[in-house]
């Protein structure tokens, strides 16, 4: 199983980092935020509060 489950699709910043990761099995997008030694991850939500989902092409 060489394929990684998560793929980074966006990155911004060096010290204060914002990244978007996509779960390649479900298509759910996650936003990751890091500042110094602290960080966190959360599902990326649209205006209606639903998770952003990227269509999976297999």
């Amino acid at each position: 199983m060489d394929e990684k489950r998560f793929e980074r699709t966006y990155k911004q910043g060096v010290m204060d980092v914002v990244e978007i990761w996509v779960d390649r099995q479900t298509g759910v997008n996650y936003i990751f935020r890091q500042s110094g030694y602290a960080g966190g991850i959360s599902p990326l939500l649209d205006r209606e509060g639903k998770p952003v989902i990227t269509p999976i092409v297999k």
Side-chain angles (χ1 to χ4, degrees), residues 19-45:
E19 297 176 344
I20 296 179
W21 290 82
V22 176
D23 182 334
R24 295 170 64 144
Q25 291 182 7
T26 64
V28 175
N29 287 244
Y30 295 89
I31 187 160
F32 172 73
R33 173 81 166 96
Q34 177 183 354
S35 182
Y37 293 109
I41 191 166
S42 177
L44 185 61
L45 305 177

Side-chain angles (χ1 to χ4, degrees), residues 2-57:
D2 290 338
E3 227 175 88
K4 296 180 181 178
R5 178 161 181 172
F6 293 92
E7 177 182 6
R8 184 176 64 199
T9 59
Y10 178 81
K11 182 177 181 184
Q12 170 185 309
V14 177
M15 296 297 288
D16 291 325
V17 177
V18 175
E19 297 176 344
I20 296 179
W21 290 82
V22 176
D23 182 334
R24 295 170 64 144
Q25 291 182 7
T26 64
V28 175
N29 287 244
Y30 295 89
I31 187 160
F32 172 73
R33 173 81 166 96
Q34 177 183 354
S35 182
Y37 293 109
I41 191 166
S42 177
L44 185 61
L45 305 177
D46 65 13
R47 288 180 181 205
E48 297 172 359
K50 297 178 183 177
V52 175
I53 299 177
T54 300
I56 303 297
V57 178

